[in-house]
Amino acid sequence: MAEDTSFSETGIIGTAAELFASVTKIGLRMALFPVMALKDLPFGLGGGIGRATASFPRAVGRAFDGFADEIAGITPKEDAVDLDRPGVHEYRNNKKDTAVVFVHGFGQNSQNTWGRFVDILAEDKKLEDWDIFLVGYTTNMMMDVAGLWAASPPIDRLAQFLNTITSSPPLDRYKSLALVAHSMGGLVTQRTLVDYAELRQRASHVIFYGTPSGGLKKAGFAAGWKRQIRDMAKDSSFITDLRSRWKTVMTEDPPFAFRVVAGDQDELVPTWSSLDPFHERFHTVVVGDHLAIVGPPTRAYEAYKSSGKMHLSVEVLVKHIMGEADPAGPLNAARLAVERSDFKKVIDQLGDKVAELDQSALVMLALAYDATGQEKKAIEIIEQRGDASTDLMGVLGGRFKRRWLLDRSQKDAERAIKLYTDALTRTEAADEPDQDQVYYHAINIAFMALAAENDKKKTEKYARKALAACAQTEESIWRSATEGEANLYLGNADEAVAGYEAALDKHPEPRQIMSMFQQAVGVAEIQRDDALAERLRAIFRETQD
């Protein structure tokens, strides 16, 4: 049937709509993508007007059709139409306990934002225990006609939508979520995390690529045309409020593994906006412009398939999710993420009751803060208590030891050694010394004597003290692990391996396994015994089978 070209389809209203859409398109491109605006100079308007329709949304939609794909230089896959629909899209759903969730940026959709990024990620066996989903929401390059026709939702409303998506099937069943967002999607994700405590508790990892967290100066030109651009403008009420609330809710240590990534050639979202709102320890810079940092082309995927060379932006994400889960170690990142979620529940239950907690509960809370990356908070709540038990002193010593391992601050090393030593002295001075406390503090002094002081005699002295205390206690995970570690210091490799095997046979929790693994392999590496280090890695790897 021939297309109806009556006045109602191609008349004045349709022509006006086409012209209006073209002018809007040029304006938005000039504001955000100046070079691309040259493509829209009105030399071919005649043909466009002839194809105009009287249906305003159809005309405008046609004017903008394929624009996002055009600027990304991407040919959509066969399922790109589905990926353009707002909602959650399954990429891999194996009913695991953890999932990676991708959130695209302004004027884009899940396909033309991420390109082959997700394909490369899905091929990595280190993340095979993570399901993968992509979330789409309403955003386009059309001018908002708020209160009259149609308009894209502002970012705070998109945050409500993202919360609905993550708290509804299929995402509501996951114990832990890794949230990966690009550009404005990072602002949507930040606002959702600030507003909704349940998502903060379930979020194990958060990473933003090219997100204008500090706002955009260039957005001011088009701020009156589109609410989403208005929200992204530097010093907008949305940005100002978000930065204030993020600082209040997240403090200096967010309750999840956090990273922000900038492109070295990104002039759309400069580094002052993507990186500077956050502490430099969260910063990463990769190669590429605003789109290239998250949309590796097909050739990058083919290179990965043929040589195993991973696109840098994808590699950053894999390392971020893996975190402490050493690929050669005993645990995968999914198990650690689930445990992190459990620790967050402890914080939610006890975090505002510090003054009321007994010593045991305070130890549990401090360990929960430490396990979720909030080491400063863990130290703070213990130091506030003037009646610290030897157990609490040991926990505090452990936080300083952990910080020393990361930063190598001599002050932290000295503080850790003093806490362990004072706690051991107090324990041994009791009428009936708690031998579990004796070996706990003694073995940590032995480690610090070796790693921080390079004092072999002191190391062996406290290793023997730890072994003697172990012999007077009942069998337990930590007794066996301590016997294994003490024998490492004394040069008894077979006895050391046997001790760790006995500890692993008692089915320790993920965080306990990781602690034992890092300590054992760390000692072997300090001793420069590569064969023993590999032998230890092997017995810990067996816990994954």
Side-chain angles (χ1 to χ4, degrees):
M1 180 182 293
E3 183 178 353
D4 184 356
T5 58
S6 65
F7 181 85
S8 62
E9 289 290 311
T10 61
I12 295 174
I13 295 177
T15 301
E18 186 78 12
L19 285 168
F20 179 74
S22 297
V23 171
T24 304
K25 183 179 181 182
I26 294 171
L28 288 176
R29 275 185 167 175
M30 187 66 74
L32 298 177
F33 305 97
V35 176
M36 294 297 178
L38 298 176
K39 297 181 180 180
D40 292 309
L41 293 176
F43 297 114
L45 274 177
I49 294 174
R51 291 189 299 275
T53 68
S55 172
F56 186 85
R58 284 176 56 197
V60 177
R62 181 177 295 135
F64 287 98
D65 186 35
F67 169 58
D69 289 343
E70 178 187 343
I71 63 172
I74 292 172
T75 302
K77 294 182 179 179
E78 293 180 2
D79 59 350
V81 174
D82 182 60
L83 288 173
D84 192 40
R85 173 179 54 80
V88 61
H89 309 285
E90 295 184 1
Y91 185 97
R92 180 171 73 199
N93 187 355
N94 294 327
K95 310 297 183 184
K96 301 293 186 178
D97 290 329
T98 54
V100 182
V101 179
F102 289 87
V103 184
H104 64 75
F106 171 74
Q108 300 279 284
N109 62 41
S110 294
Q111 172 59 34
N112 58 31
T113 290
W114 302 107
R116 287 290 195 170
F117 192 114
V118 182
D119 297 327
I120 298 173
L121 184 78
E123 294 279 348
D124 196 308
K125 292 189 179 298
K126 293 191 292 293
L127 298 184
E128 62 185 5
D129 284 330
W130 294 75
D131 289 341
I132 301 175
F133 295 85
L134 302 99
V135 170
Y137 57 85
T138 301
T139 180
N140 52 53
M141 298 295 290
M142 292 184 287
M143 179 178 179
D144 289 341
V145 191
L148 177 63
W149 196 271
S152 295
I155 297 177
D156 59 353
R157 196 181 305 164
L158 290 176
Q160 295 174 329
F161 175 71
L162 181 58
N163 179 64
T164 301
I165 287 290
T166 55
S167 58
S168 303
L171 296 180
D172 62 335
R173 60 168 296 276
Y174 288 94
K175 296 179 180 179
S176 294
L177 299 175
L179 304 175
V180 185
H182 176 241
S183 195
M184 187 181 78
L187 296 178
V188 175
T189 304
Q190 287 180 60
R191 180 60 183 262
T192 312
L193 289 166
V194 165
D195 285 353
Y196 299 97
E198 182 181 351
L199 183 59
R200 286 199 301 275
Q201 181 174 300
R202 296 172 61 212
S204 58
H205 303 78
V206 175
I207 185 168
F208 301 139
Y209 288 86
T211 290
S213 297
L216 294 174
K217 293 178 181 178
K218 65 185 68 179
F221 175 81
W225 292 12
K226 193 148 192 80
R227 290 185 295 198
Q228 291 174 357
I229 297 178
R230 174 203 65 195
D231 287 346
M232 287 189 285
K234 187 178 185 298
D235 298 325
S236 69
S237 59
F238 174 83
I239 291 294
T240 301
D241 177 66
L242 179 62
R243 294 277 56 83
S244 175
R245 295 173 64 194
W246 179 275
K247 184 177 181 179
T248 299
V249 174
M250 303 299 176
T251 65
E252 295 182 7
D253 295 304
F256 38 70
F258 181 57
R259 186 141 299 277
V260 286
V261 182
D264 66 340
Q265 302 162 54
D266 190 348
E267 294 299 323
L268 179 61
V269 180
T271 56
W272 64 260
S273 183
S274 58
L275 301 184
D276 290 358
F278 309 101
H279 192 281
E280 63 182 11
R281 70 179 182 277
F282 301 125
H283 295 181
T284 295
V285 176
V286 297
V287 177
D289 59 28
H290 188 62
L291 296 171
I293 60 175
V294 292
T298 298
R299 64 178 179 274
Y301 176 70
E302 293 172 346
Y304 174 70
K305 293 287 287 184
S306 62
S307 68
K309 184 178 180 180
M310 186 175 287
H311 188 274
L312 182 58
S313 291
V314 185
E315 185 175 350
V316 167
L317 176 58
V318 172
K319 288 185 175 180
H320 179 62
I321 294 177
M322 289 297 296
E324 295 179 75
D326 188 327
L331 292 175
N332 59 37
R335 287 179 63 185
L336 287 175
V338 170
E339 188 183 55
R340 178 186 286 262
S341 178
D342 293 336
F343 278 122
K344 287 182 182 180
K345 293 177 183 177
V346 173
I347 294 171
D348 287 343
Q349 293 170 0
L350 305 179
D352 58 353
K353 303 175 182 176
V354 174
E356 306 168 20
L357 300 179
D358 60 21
Q359 298 276 341
S360 177
L362 194 62
V363 167
M364 185 184 300
L365 179 60
L367 291 174
Y369 277 123
D370 186 63
T372 55
Q374 301 176 77
E375 296 170 8
K376 188 174 181 179
K377 186 68 175 178
I379 293 171
E380 178 184 302
I381 65 169
I382 297 174
E383 289 185 325
Q384 288 175 351
R385 294 291 288 264
D387 59 341
S389 65
T390 57
D391 191 20
L392 206 53
M393 292 170 69
V395 171
L396 183 57
R399 304 314 39 94
F400 283 110
K401 181 181 81 170
R402 181 184 175 95
R403 203 160 73 177
W404 173 77
L405 288 168
L406 292 173
D407 302 331
R408 297 293 165 161
S409 165
Q410 183 62 26
K411 185 177 179 180
D412 285 339
E414 291 171 355
R415 187 73 188 278
I417 293 169
K418 186 176 188 308
L419 282 162
Y420 286 133
T421 303
D422 289 351
L424 179 59
T425 300
R426 281 179 52 182
T427 301
E428 292 184 313
D431 293 336
E432 296 183 8
D434 183 340
Q435 297 300 325
D436 289 300
Q437 284 289 298
V438 171
Y439 74 65
Y440 170 62
H441 299 299
I443 201 65
N444 279 291
I445 295 172
F447 174 80
M448 294 302 293
L450 176 68
E453 299 176 319
N454 194 28
D455 188 334
K456 187 176 180 181
K457 288 185 177 180
K458 183 177 177 180
T459 299
E460 292 177 352
K461 171 187 173 181
Y462 282 95
R464 292 191 181 93
K465 185 183 286 289
L467 278 179
C470 286
Q472 300 178 59
T473 63
E474 295 182 359
E475 283 285 344
S476 69
I477 293 169
W478 288 119
R479 171 186 160 170
S480 296
T482 299
E483 289 172 332
E485 186 176 344
N487 277 296
L488 285 178
Y489 299 131
L490 298 173
N492 305 322
D494 291 340
E495 290 85 345
V497 170
Y500 284 114
E501 287 176 332
L504 295 172
D505 286 343
K506 296 177 177 66
H507 308 293
E509 295 295 322
R511 185 67 51 175
Q512 294 172 322
I513 298 174
M514 183 57 64
S515 177
M516 286 187 280
F517 170 75
Q518 291 176 333
Q519 193 92 340
V521 174
V523 170
E525 290 178 344
I526 291 172
Q527 295 174 329
R528 299 184 180 181
D529 192 333
D530 294 339
L532 180 56
E534 182 53 39
R535 190 176 172 187
L536 290 166
R537 287 192 182 94
I539 64 171
F540 278 96
R541 274 197 297 264
E542 291 174 3
T543 63
Q544 297 184 83
D545 300 334

